[in-house]
Amino acid sequence: MATVTCGTLEYFPENILIDILSYLNVRELVRMSRVCRHWRQLVKDQRLWRAVDLSTWKRVTSRVLWTLLRQYLGRGLRYLRLRGLLLSARGGAFLTESWLQALTSRCPRLRRICLLHVDLRGLRGCSLLPPSLQVLELHFCEVPPGFFASDTASSETQGSIETLVLSNVPSFSDQHLQSLGSWPHLSRLVLRDLIRVTVAGLKGCVPPGAQALTHLRHLELETCTRAQMVALALGEGWPGLQGLSLGGKEVSPGLLCLSRLPDLRSLCLRSCRLTQVMVLRSCRCLTQLRMLQFSEVEFIEEEARQEADGETDGQERSEHDPAPNLRRALCALLPTCAVCFTNCTLTVNKD
C-alpha cells in the first residue's frame, strides 16, 4: 500500500494560497494575517486588495480605515466600497481630509468609489477625492452646498470622473446639478430618487445652455416624479445623447421626449407599467436605435386586442418573450434594433 504523506499549507504554491484567501472578506483577511508572519505576508499581497467591500462590516470607524490603509491597501486597489455612520448612533467623523489625502498617495490606481450612508458635509468638496477616479457612486449620502462646484483645486478630480451615480441623496439640488456642467469628461449620469431636483434644473442641463451637460452620452432616471419626467419632453432635444434609461411608476411622460433624441442608440425601460400601443408610438421615430431593453416591465393589453391577434390561450408567450405581438411589431418597425425582455409580464385588461 502506498504511503500517504500529509503536509501543511506551506507545501502549497503561493499562487494557490492567494487564490484560497481571495474567497475571504476583509475582516477575515485581517484575522488571517495574525496567524503567523508567513500568513501576514500572503495577506498583504495586492492581488487580494483590488476590490475592497467594507459595506458589510458594521463597526468600521475612522481608526479601522487608517489601519487598513497603512497596513494593507496599496497600488493594487481599484474599487472601494464604504458604509458610513450617517444613520448610526455613534456618529462622528468618518472620512477625513487627511485620510483621503493618504488614500490618494497610497492608491494611485483607484478607479471607482462607492459610498453608502456617508456624511460628506464636513469636506470642502470633491477636490479631496483621488484624481484617478473614473466612477463615483453616492447612495443615501449627504453633500454640502458647492460639493461638485468647479475650482482650481478640484479641476483634476472632476476631469477624470466619467460616471456619476446619485441615489437617494436628499440634499442634492439644482445647484449641484448645474455644477456638473463644468465636468469635462462626465459621460454617464444616473439620478435616482432625488426630491430636490426641479423641472427647471433638468431643463438647464440640456444643451446648449450655460450650465448644460454638453459631454453627457448616457442618462438614467429612476424613481423620479411625474414633473421630472415631463421635463425631459419640454425642450427641443438633447444633442449627443446616445443612451437613455427610464424607470419607476412615472415612465410614461418621459417617453414623450424620445422623438427629440435623434442620436439615441440605446433605450432601457425598467420597473414600470406600459401599454403596447404607447411603446410603439414612442419608438416609431427612433430609426437609429440599436438596443431596446425591457426589464421588469408589466405590459397592459386590452382583451379585445388580444382576441383579435389570436393569443387568448397564451401558448405563444414565454418567460423570455411575454409579449410576442409587441416583439414582432418592434422588429418590423426597427429592423436593425435588438429587443430584449427580462423578467417582464403581460396583464390583460378585461374592462
Side-chain angles (χ1 to χ4, degrees), residues 225-246:
T225 64
R226 186 177 184 85
Q228 291 171 339
M229 284 293 182
V230 172
L232 294 176
L234 295 180
E236 297 181 357
W238 198 312
L241 193 65
Q242 300 178 0
L244 179 64
S245 179
L246 302 176

Side-chain angles (χ1 to χ4, degrees), residues 304-318:
R305 180 179 295 273
Q306 187 188 43
E307 293 177 355
D309 294 333
E311 288 190 11
T312 55
D313 55 358
Q315 294 180 357
E316 296 184 17
R317 297 195 299 268
S318 64

Side-chain angles (χ1 to χ4, degrees), residues 199-224:
V199 173
L202 287 174
K203 289 179 61 179
C205 296
V206 181
Q211 304 293 335
L213 304 179
T214 55
H215 301 280
L216 198 65
R217 295 295 176 265
H218 186 96
L219 176 64
E220 182 174 336
L221 296 177
E222 289 193 15
T223 323
C224 295

Side-chain angles (χ1 to χ4, degrees), residues 147-338:
F147 182 78
F148 302 100
S150 175
D151 52 50
T152 304
S154 63
S155 59
E156 187 177 0
T157 301
Q158 295 173 351
S160 61
I161 294 180
E162 301 175 358
T163 300
L164 178 62
V165 179
L166 299 163
S167 177
N168 206 329
V169 181
S171 56
F172 188 86
S173 62
D174 292 345
Q175 179 185 359
H176 296 100
L177 190 59
Q178 293 173 0
S179 301
L180 300 180
S182 61
W183 292 29
H185 296 291
L186 184 63
S187 60
R188 182 185 180 93
L189 179 62
V190 181
L191 304 177
R192 298 171 182 164
D193 200 6
L194 301 178
I195 58 177
R196 297 186 62 186
V197 175
T198 65
V199 173
L202 287 174
K203 289 179 61 179
C205 296
V206 181
Q211 304 293 335
L213 304 179
T214 55
H215 301 280
L216 198 65
R217 295 295 176 265
H218 186 96
L219 176 64
E220 182 174 336
L221 296 177
E222 289 193 15
T223 323
C224 295
T225 64
R226 186 177 184 85
Q228 291 171 339
M229 284 293 182
V230 172
L232 294 176
L234 295 180
E236 297 181 357
W238 198 312
L241 193 65
Q242 300 178 0
L244 179 64
S245 179
L246 302 176
K249 297 180 180 180
E250 301 296 343
V251 165
S252 302
L255 296 180
L256 300 175
C257 71
L258 298 183
S259 60
R260 300 168 184 173
L261 301 177
D263 300 324
L264 197 64
R265 299 292 186 274
S266 173
L267 175 63
C268 180
L269 304 175
R270 63 176 71 247
S271 304
C272 56
R273 299 183 64 186
L274 299 171
T275 64
Q276 300 188 31
V277 175
M278 181 187 306
V279 173
L280 293 175
R281 288 178 178 176
S282 302
C283 298
R284 185 174 302 170
C285 56
L286 301 179
T287 57
Q288 302 297 325
L289 200 64
R290 295 296 178 266
M291 174 61 70
L292 178 57
Q293 297 179 318
F294 299 95
S295 178
E296 299 181 357
V297 176
E298 181 184 359
F299 294 104
I300 309 299
E301 186 178 76
E302 298 293 337
E303 185 178 22
R305 180 179 295 273
Q306 187 188 43
E307 293 177 355
D309 294 333
E311 288 190 11
T312 55
D313 55 358
Q315 294 180 357
E316 296 184 17
R317 297 195 299 268
S318 64
E319 180 180 356
H320 301 287
D321 192 9
N325 284 337
L326 178 61
R327 176 183 54 80
R328 287 193 292 265
L330 288 173
C331 291
L333 187 65
L334 306 171
T336 61
C337 178

